[in-house]
């Protein structure tokens, strides 16, 4: 147990110390200290955005959330997008993006979950929530067994909706407009590796047009 905590502490310290000098790559700018949030314009090219959308389109189905009582995902009125999980096997475009994410976060590629693509139609939203797992629930405990806690979330905006669909952080408070090619990185845990209650965030309803994003959740340990 002590070894686990020591390893985790070293990882989080490394991560925090690297932020200062590597996060600036690809134009990431800090836009909030608490919760800790970074934004970069043109992190993805138009071709990369289009590739991900077209790859996900045929396999979209209703998004789910973590069930409190089991390891299953469940449909929930608080998350009304469609989603598709993309494997990166043999896909050079996705691998390149994930390598760039590894460079800026200093979190190993293998700690990332699968890339999730989300599509929101008019009225679709993801009400404010936390991306970290709640270790007090059975569902949270079962997800923590593989790869440990989610330490960071990266949102990749694949198109620019006509109106609405901002990513919101009620505690910052901050609204981030979805713009094609943008990337938003935020930390779900504090510097001490504890779930950060300030990291509450959501996807506001789309008012006109549609919204496409991809998200990548990064764990404290190996997930892949
Ligand atoms: O679509 C979003 O903006 C959004 C906001 C908050 C997505 C997620 N969280 C998520 O997929 O976790
Ligand atoms: Zn989220």
């Amino acid at each position: 147990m002590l070894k686990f905590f020591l390893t985790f502490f070293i990882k989080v310290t490394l991560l925090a110390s690297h932020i200062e000098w590597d996060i600036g790559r690809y134009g990431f700018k800090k836009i909030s200290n608490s919760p800790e949030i970074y934004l970069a314009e043109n992190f993805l090219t138009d071709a990369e955005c289009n590739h991900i959308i077209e790859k996900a389109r045929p396999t979209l189905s209703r998004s789910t959330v973590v069930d409190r009582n089991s390891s299953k995902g469940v449909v929930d009125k608080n998350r009304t997008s469609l989603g598709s999980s993309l494997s990166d096997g043999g896909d050079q475009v996705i691998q390149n993006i994930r390598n760039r994410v590894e460079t800026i976060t200093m979190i190993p590629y293998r700690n990332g979950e699968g890339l999730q693509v989300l599509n929101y139609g008019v009225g679709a939203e993801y009400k404010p929530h936390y991306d970290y797992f709640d270790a007090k629930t059975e569902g949270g405990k079962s997800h923590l067994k593989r790869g440990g806690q989610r330490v960071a979330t990266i949102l990749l905006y694949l198109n620019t909706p006509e109106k609405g669909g901002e990513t919101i952080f009620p505690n910052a408070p901050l609204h981030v407009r979805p713009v094609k090619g943008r990337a938003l990185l935020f930390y779900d845990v504090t510097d001490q590796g504890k779930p950060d209650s300030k990291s509450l965030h959501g996807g506001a309803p789309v008012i006109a047009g549609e919204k496409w994003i991809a998200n990548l959740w990064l764990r404290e340990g190996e997930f892949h």
Side-chain angles (χ1 to χ4, degrees), residues 125-199:
E125 64 180 326
Y126 195 176
K127 292 237 170 75
H129 61 276
Y130 295 108
D131 285 351
Y132 58 72
F133 299 113
D134 182 351
K136 292 196 281 300
T137 67
E138 285 311 309
K141 267 187 226 151
S142 81
H143 284 279
L144 285 165
K145 282 186 194 142
R146 177 176 168 200
Q149 191 54 277
R150 286 177 175 157
V151 292
T153 300
I154 183 146
L155 299 182
L156 307 168
Y157 299 97
L158 305 176
N159 82 327
T160 308
E162 277 169 52
K163 201 164 182 210
E166 296 85 0
T167 301
I168 54 171
F169 293 86
N171 293 325
L174 202 68
H175 285 209
V176 177
R177 232 173 74 72
V179 173
K180 188 169 186 172
R182 269 188 170 176
L184 184 74
L185 165 70
F186 59 92
Y187 287 84
D188 302 301
V189 298
T190 62
D191 285 355
Q192 282 75 42
K194 297 266 169 12
D196 184 358
S197 61
K198 290 272 182 69
S199 70

Side-chain angles (χ1 to χ4, degrees), residues 67-120:
D67 184 17
R68 290 178 63 82
N69 303 312
S70 77
S71 58
K72 285 189 307 195
V74 287
V75 167
D76 189 297
K77 65 179 180 352
N78 292 327
R79 191 183 198 198
T80 51
S81 54
L82 301 176
S84 171
S85 197
L86 295 187
S87 102
D88 47 1
D91 189 315
Q92 199 58 54
V93 174
I94 297 180
Q95 287 173 15
N96 286 344
I97 295 168
R98 295 183 68 130
N99 280 326
R100 300 204 299 263
V101 169
E102 180 182 70
T103 303
I104 53 140
T105 59
M106 298 300 292
I107 299 175
Y109 191 128
R110 62 180 179 279
N111 291 21
E113 298 182 27
L115 194 70
Q116 264 208 28
V117 182
L118 303 172
N119 175 225
Y120 299 76

Side-chain angles (χ1 to χ4, degrees), residues 20-92:
E20 302 307 323
W21 52 274
D22 236 3
I23 203 91
R25 283 226 231 168
Y26 301 108
F28 274 89
K29 300 221 166 46
K30 197 184 225 182
I31 57 169
S32 165
N33 281 321
S34 178
E36 197 172 333
I37 312 173
Y38 299 83
L39 179 67
E41 307 294 343
N42 304 312
F43 181 70
L44 263 60
T45 64
D46 280 5
E48 286 173 330
C49 293
N50 300 342
H51 172 86
I52 296 173
I53 290 176
E54 293 318 319
K55 188 158 182 182
R57 200 188 285 280
T59 51
L60 289 173
S61 61
R62 175 72 190 260
S63 301
T64 58
V65 300
V66 172
D67 184 17
R68 290 178 63 82
N69 303 312
S70 77
S71 58
K72 285 189 307 195
V74 287
V75 167
D76 189 297
K77 65 179 180 352
N78 292 327
R79 191 183 198 198
T80 51
S81 54
L82 301 176
S84 171
S85 197
L86 295 187
S87 102
D88 47 1
D91 189 315
Q92 199 58 54

